Amino acid sequence: MTKDTPYALLRQADAAERQTVSDILTEAFMDDPVACWLFPAPDERGRLQSHFYGQLLDRSAAEAYLIGRDEGASVWLALAAGQAPDGEHPNPPEMDQNSIFGANGVRLRTLGRALTERHPRGEPHLYLSCMGVVGERQSAGLGSSMLRHRLERADTDGLAAYLEASSPRSRALYLRHGFADLGEPVRVADSPLLWPMWRQPSR
């Protein structure tokens, strides 16, 4: 698939496709450095990732997209000025989180707090919470197509965009699409680096 991929292959996911979005992201991030740090037990990682994406998709601000034959997915949050990136429940009860994520909940909360502190809140913007492509379709242009599709609309609406890149490879992709580093990378304890990145709308 090339940069000329028609957007007809890309659609906004509806409620019935929620599990499809979660399954694609779970597969795409199974070996991601940050996912491996958050959920170090390989036999538990898929289940815990699925819970994580389910909570993300529950947010009223979430927009989910699918591309191709369910080969890639992205989740964006449309945030108002001053709105917390954590959504409607920025501090879910620790007991509830522990019942889902167990000991992994400590890492999840610690990293979440660090990222929230760095998240810009001065103006309305789109937050690309996650975007992934299944293994055999990576490097085929699907990620770039998903980015261009939503960023073109953001440019039309005059909206900036924000994300955290979880690997040098994804950071390079986002740099090619107009994002720039926003301060130093984030790291908590022995976690991998995450790169906060910001993109001004193209006028």
Side-chain angles (χ1 to χ4, degrees), residues 165-176 179 181 195 197:
S166 63
S167 70
R169 180 181 178 184
S170 64
R171 176 175 172 268
L173 170 67
Y174 299 132
L175 287 171
R176 293 197 297 272
F179 286 86
D181 291 325
W195 289 265
M197 305 184 77

Side-chain angles (χ1 to χ4, degrees), residues 2 17 24 28 32 34 37 39 44 48 50-51 57 70 85 89 99 106 115 121 123 129 139 148 171 174 189 196 200:
T2 70
E17 295 173 306
I24 291 169
D32 177 79
V34 175
W37 181 79
F39 311 122
E44 287 285 295
L48 296 175
S50 183
H51 279 299
L57 291 165
D70 296 342
H89 307 289
S99 68
V106 175
L115 294 177
R121 301 195 192 186
E123 62 182 281
S129 183
S139 302
R148 280 196 304 274
R171 176 175 172 268
Y174 299 132
Q200 291 288 0

Side-chain angles (χ1 to χ4, degrees), residues 34-42 44-45 48-49 52 101 104-105 107-108:
V34 175
C36 292
W37 181 79
L38 286 171
F39 311 122
E44 287 285 295
R45 190 175 304 139
L48 296 175
Q49 281 183 275
F52 176 82
F101 297 106
N104 305 284
R107 285 187 293 274
L108 195 60

Side-chain angles (χ1 to χ4, degrees), residues 1-7 140-141 144-145 148 177:
M1 191 167 293
T2 70
K3 65 181 181 180
D4 299 317
T5 298
Y7 289 150
S144 289
S145 291
R148 280 196 304 274
H177 287 271

Side-chain angles (χ1 to χ4, degrees), residues 33-102:
V34 175
C36 292
W37 181 79
L38 286 171
F39 311 122
D43 58 334
E44 287 285 295
R45 190 175 304 139
R47 180 180 65 83
L48 296 175
Q49 281 183 275
S50 183
H51 279 299
F52 176 82
Y53 298 128
Q55 290 182 347
L56 174 63
L57 291 165
D58 280 341
R59 299 178 188 176
S60 62
E63 303 174 6
Y65 295 87
L66 291 163
I67 193 168
R69 298 176 178 83
D70 296 342
E71 297 159 312
S74 59
V75 181
W76 300 75
L77 302 178
L79 300 179
Q83 185 176 358
D86 301 40
E88 296 81 8
H89 307 289
N91 295 298
E94 184 170 324
M95 184 171 62
D96 291 349
Q97 290 292 80
N98 287 345
S99 68
I100 297 172
F101 297 106

